[in-house]
Short mmCIF file of all heavy atoms in Angstrom, two decimals:
data_model
loop_
_atom_site.label_atom_id
_atom_site.label_comp_id
_atom_site.label_asym_id
_atom_site.label_seq_id
_atom_site.Cartn_x
_atom_site.Cartn_y
_atom_site.Cartn_z
N ASN A 432 19.01 18.52 -32.55
CA ASN A 432 19.13 19.62 -33.52
C ASN A 432 18.92 21.01 -32.91
O ASN A 432 18.72 21.98 -33.64
CB ASN A 432 18.16 19.44 -34.70
CG ASN A 432 18.51 18.22 -35.53
OD1 ASN A 432 19.33 17.40 -35.11
ND2 ASN A 432 17.93 18.11 -36.70
N LEU A 433 18.93 21.07 -31.59
CA LEU A 433 18.88 22.39 -30.93
C LEU A 433 20.30 22.72 -30.46
O LEU A 433 20.86 21.98 -29.65
CB LEU A 433 17.93 22.36 -29.74
CG LEU A 433 17.98 23.58 -28.80
CD1 LEU A 433 17.54 24.85 -29.53
CD2 LEU A 433 17.08 23.35 -27.57
N PHE A 434 20.86 23.77 -30.99
CA PHE A 434 22.18 24.21 -30.56
C PHE A 434 22.02 25.44 -29.66
O PHE A 434 21.32 26.39 -30.03
CB PHE A 434 23.05 24.60 -31.76
CG PHE A 434 23.35 23.43 -32.67
CD1 PHE A 434 22.64 23.24 -33.85
CD2 PHE A 434 24.35 22.53 -32.35
CE1 PHE A 434 22.91 22.17 -34.68
CE2 PHE A 434 24.64 21.45 -33.19
CZ PHE A 434 23.92 21.27 -34.35
N THR A 435 22.66 25.39 -28.51
CA THR A 435 22.58 26.52 -27.59
C THR A 435 23.93 27.22 -27.58
O THR A 435 24.95 26.59 -27.26
CB THR A 435 22.24 26.02 -26.17
OG1 THR A 435 23.20 25.04 -25.78
CG2 THR A 435 20.85 25.42 -26.10
N ILE A 436 23.96 28.45 -27.96
CA ILE A 436 25.24 29.16 -27.97
C ILE A 436 25.61 29.56 -26.54
O ILE A 436 24.84 30.25 -25.87
CB ILE A 436 25.19 30.39 -28.89
CG1 ILE A 436 24.97 29.92 -30.33
CG2 ILE A 436 26.48 31.20 -28.77
CD1 ILE A 436 24.92 31.00 -31.36
N GLN A 437 26.76 29.05 -26.08
CA GLN A 437 27.27 29.35 -24.74
C GLN A 437 26.27 29.01 -23.64
O GLN A 437 25.98 29.82 -22.75
CB GLN A 437 27.70 30.82 -24.65
CG GLN A 437 28.89 31.13 -25.55
CD GLN A 437 30.15 30.36 -25.14
OE1 GLN A 437 30.57 30.41 -24.01
NE2 GLN A 437 30.73 29.63 -26.08
N GLY A 438 25.74 27.80 -23.71
CA GLY A 438 24.86 27.32 -22.65
C GLY A 438 25.65 26.92 -21.41
O GLY A 438 26.88 27.13 -21.35
N PRO A 439 24.98 26.31 -20.42
CA PRO A 439 25.68 25.89 -19.21
C PRO A 439 26.83 24.93 -19.55
O PRO A 439 26.69 24.09 -20.42
CB PRO A 439 24.60 25.14 -18.42
CG PRO A 439 23.31 25.46 -19.05
CD PRO A 439 23.56 25.94 -20.43
N GLY A 440 27.96 25.09 -18.86
CA GLY A 440 29.12 24.23 -19.15
C GLY A 440 29.99 24.78 -20.26
O GLY A 440 30.86 24.10 -20.78
N SER A 441 29.76 26.03 -20.64
CA SER A 441 30.59 26.68 -21.67
C SER A 441 31.49 27.71 -20.99
O SER A 441 31.24 28.11 -19.86
CB SER A 441 29.70 27.36 -22.70
OG SER A 441 29.09 28.50 -22.11
N PRO A 442 32.51 28.18 -21.69
CA PRO A 442 33.45 29.13 -21.06
C PRO A 442 32.90 30.54 -20.87
O PRO A 442 33.53 31.35 -20.19
CB PRO A 442 34.62 29.18 -22.05
CG PRO A 442 34.39 28.14 -23.07
CD PRO A 442 32.94 27.79 -23.04
N SER A 443 31.75 30.83 -21.45
CA SER A 443 31.31 32.23 -21.54
C SER A 443 31.26 32.99 -20.22
O SER A 443 31.57 34.18 -20.17
CB SER A 443 29.92 32.27 -22.15
OG SER A 443 29.04 31.52 -21.34
N ALA A 444 30.89 32.30 -19.14
CA ALA A 444 30.69 33.01 -17.88
C ALA A 444 31.98 33.65 -17.38
O ALA A 444 31.94 34.70 -16.75
CB ALA A 444 30.15 32.04 -16.83
N ALA A 445 33.09 33.02 -17.67
CA ALA A 445 34.35 33.53 -17.14
C ALA A 445 35.33 33.86 -18.26
O ALA A 445 36.52 33.59 -18.16
CB ALA A 445 34.95 32.49 -16.19
N ALA A 446 34.81 34.41 -19.34
CA ALA A 446 35.68 34.69 -20.49
C ALA A 446 35.07 35.82 -21.33
O ALA A 446 33.96 36.27 -21.06
CB ALA A 446 35.83 33.44 -21.35
N ASN A 447 35.83 36.23 -22.32
CA ASN A 447 35.34 37.19 -23.30
C ASN A 447 34.22 36.52 -24.09
O ASN A 447 34.47 35.60 -24.88
CB ASN A 447 36.51 37.60 -24.22
CG ASN A 447 36.08 38.53 -25.33
OD1 ASN A 447 34.90 38.84 -25.51
ND2 ASN A 447 37.06 39.00 -26.09
N PHE A 448 33.00 36.96 -23.88
CA PHE A 448 31.84 36.29 -24.50
C PHE A 448 31.98 36.25 -26.02
O PHE A 448 31.63 35.25 -26.66
CB PHE A 448 30.54 37.00 -24.11
CG PHE A 448 29.33 36.36 -24.71
CD1 PHE A 448 28.72 35.29 -24.08
CD2 PHE A 448 28.83 36.79 -25.93
CE1 PHE A 448 27.62 34.65 -24.64
CE2 PHE A 448 27.73 36.15 -26.50
CZ PHE A 448 27.12 35.09 -25.86
N VAL A 449 32.47 37.31 -26.61
CA VAL A 449 32.50 37.38 -28.08
C VAL A 449 33.45 36.31 -28.63
O VAL A 449 33.12 35.59 -29.59
CB VAL A 449 32.90 38.78 -28.56
CG1 VAL A 449 32.93 38.84 -30.08
CG2 VAL A 449 31.92 39.83 -28.03
N ALA A 450 34.61 36.16 -27.99
CA ALA A 450 35.57 35.15 -28.45
C ALA A 450 34.98 33.76 -28.26
O ALA A 450 35.08 32.90 -29.15
CB ALA A 450 36.87 35.29 -27.67
N ALA A 451 34.37 33.52 -27.11
CA ALA A 451 33.80 32.20 -26.83
C ALA A 451 32.66 31.90 -27.80
O ALA A 451 32.53 30.79 -28.31
CB ALA A 451 33.30 32.15 -25.39
N MET A 452 31.86 32.91 -28.08
CA MET A 452 30.71 32.73 -28.95
C MET A 452 31.13 32.44 -30.40
O MET A 452 30.55 31.59 -31.07
CB MET A 452 29.86 34.01 -28.86
CG MET A 452 28.78 34.17 -29.86
SD MET A 452 29.35 34.67 -31.49
CE MET A 452 29.93 36.31 -31.22
N GLU A 453 32.18 33.12 -30.87
CA GLU A 453 32.61 32.88 -32.26
C GLU A 453 33.00 31.41 -32.45
O GLU A 453 32.67 30.79 -33.46
CB GLU A 453 33.79 33.78 -32.62
CG GLU A 453 33.38 35.22 -32.96
CD GLU A 453 34.54 36.03 -33.52
OE1 GLU A 453 35.71 35.73 -33.21
OE2 GLU A 453 34.27 36.99 -34.28
N GLN A 454 33.70 30.87 -31.46
CA GLN A 454 34.09 29.46 -31.55
C GLN A 454 32.84 28.59 -31.64
O GLN A 454 32.77 27.65 -32.44
CB GLN A 454 34.94 29.08 -30.32
CG GLN A 454 35.43 27.65 -30.31
CD GLN A 454 34.42 26.66 -29.73
OE1 GLN A 454 33.45 27.05 -29.09
NE2 GLN A 454 34.63 25.38 -30.02
N ASN A 455 31.84 28.87 -30.82
CA ASN A 455 30.60 28.08 -30.82
C ASN A 455 29.92 28.13 -32.18
O ASN A 455 29.52 27.10 -32.72
CB ASN A 455 29.63 28.60 -29.76
CG ASN A 455 29.72 27.89 -28.42
OD1 ASN A 455 28.82 28.00 -27.59
ND2 ASN A 455 30.79 27.15 -28.18
N VAL A 456 29.79 29.32 -32.72
CA VAL A 456 29.08 29.47 -34.00
C VAL A 456 29.81 28.69 -35.09
O VAL A 456 29.18 27.97 -35.89
CB VAL A 456 28.95 30.97 -34.38
CG1 VAL A 456 28.49 31.13 -35.82
CG2 VAL A 456 27.99 31.68 -33.43
N GLU A 457 31.13 28.78 -35.10
CA GLU A 457 31.89 28.08 -36.15
C GLU A 457 31.78 26.56 -35.98
O GLU A 457 31.68 25.82 -36.95
CB GLU A 457 33.34 28.58 -36.14
CG GLU A 457 33.41 30.00 -36.71
CD GLU A 457 34.62 30.80 -36.27
OE1 GLU A 457 35.61 30.19 -35.82
OE2 GLU A 457 34.58 32.05 -36.37
N TRP A 458 31.77 26.14 -34.72
CA TRP A 458 31.62 24.69 -34.46
C TRP A 458 30.23 24.22 -34.93
O TRP A 458 30.10 23.17 -35.57
CB TRP A 458 31.82 24.43 -32.97
CG TRP A 458 31.93 22.98 -32.61
CD1 TRP A 458 33.08 22.24 -32.52
CD2 TRP A 458 30.85 22.08 -32.30
NE1 TRP A 458 32.77 20.93 -32.16
CE2 TRP A 458 31.41 20.82 -32.03
CE3 TRP A 458 29.47 22.23 -32.23
CZ2 TRP A 458 30.64 19.70 -31.68
CZ3 TRP A 458 28.69 21.12 -31.89
CH2 TRP A 458 29.27 19.88 -31.62
N ILE A 459 29.22 25.00 -34.64
CA ILE A 459 27.85 24.64 -35.06
C ILE A 459 27.77 24.59 -36.59
O ILE A 459 27.20 23.66 -37.17
CB ILE A 459 26.82 25.64 -34.48
CG1 ILE A 459 26.74 25.52 -32.96
CG2 ILE A 459 25.44 25.43 -35.10
CD1 ILE A 459 26.00 26.67 -32.27
N GLY A 460 28.37 25.58 -37.23
CA GLY A 460 28.36 25.62 -38.70
C GLY A 460 29.00 24.36 -39.28
O GLY A 460 28.44 23.72 -40.19
N ALA A 461 30.15 23.98 -38.73
CA ALA A 461 30.86 22.79 -39.23
C ALA A 461 30.01 21.55 -38.97
O ALA A 461 29.96 20.63 -39.80
CB ALA A 461 32.22 22.67 -38.54
N CYS A 462 29.34 21.52 -37.83
CA CYS A 462 28.52 20.36 -37.47
C CYS A 462 27.33 20.22 -38.44
O CYS A 462 27.07 19.14 -38.96
CB CYS A 462 28.05 20.53 -36.02
SG CYS A 462 26.97 19.22 -35.46
N VAL A 463 26.66 21.32 -38.69
CA VAL A 463 25.50 21.28 -39.60
C VAL A 463 25.96 20.85 -41.00
O VAL A 463 25.32 20.02 -41.66
CB VAL A 463 24.78 22.65 -39.62
CG1 VAL A 463 23.77 22.73 -40.75
CG2 VAL A 463 24.10 22.92 -38.27
N SER A 464 27.10 21.37 -41.43
CA SER A 464 27.62 20.99 -42.75
C SER A 464 27.90 19.49 -42.79
O SER A 464 27.59 18.80 -43.77
CB SER A 464 28.92 21.73 -43.07
OG SER A 464 28.68 23.10 -43.09
N TYR A 465 28.49 18.99 -41.73
CA TYR A 465 28.82 17.56 -41.64
C TYR A 465 27.54 16.72 -41.75
O TYR A 465 27.48 15.74 -42.50
CB TYR A 465 29.54 17.31 -40.31
CG TYR A 465 29.92 15.87 -40.06
CD1 TYR A 465 31.18 15.39 -40.38
CD2 TYR A 465 29.00 14.98 -39.49
CE1 TYR A 465 31.54 14.07 -40.14
CE2 TYR A 465 29.34 13.66 -39.26
CZ TYR A 465 30.60 13.21 -39.58
OH TYR A 465 30.95 11.90 -39.35
N LEU A 466 26.53 17.12 -40.99
CA LEU A 466 25.27 16.35 -40.99
C LEU A 466 24.65 16.33 -42.38
O LEU A 466 24.22 15.29 -42.87
CB LEU A 466 24.28 16.97 -39.99
CG LEU A 466 24.71 16.98 -38.51
CD1 LEU A 466 23.71 17.77 -37.68
CD2 LEU A 466 24.84 15.57 -37.97
N ARG A 467 24.65 17.48 -43.02
CA ARG A 467 24.04 17.58 -44.34
C ARG A 467 24.83 16.76 -45.36
O ARG A 467 24.27 16.09 -46.22
CB ARG A 467 23.93 19.04 -44.77
CG ARG A 467 22.81 19.79 -44.00
CD ARG A 467 22.96 21.29 -44.00
NE ARG A 467 22.94 21.90 -45.30
CZ ARG A 467 21.90 22.55 -45.83
NH1 ARG A 467 20.78 22.66 -45.15
NH2 ARG A 467 21.99 23.11 -47.01
#
Side-chain angles (χ1 to χ4, degrees):
N432 294 12
L433 169 64
F434 295 100
T435 55
I436 296 181
Q437 295 296 306
S441 71
S443 59
N447 176 355
F448 180 85
V449 180
M452 168 283 292
E453 281 189 333
Q454 181 275 345
N455 266 196
V456 168
E457 287 157 19
W458 190 92
I459 293 167
C462 177
V463 168
S464 299
Y465 179 95
L466 298 173
R467 286 159 61 102

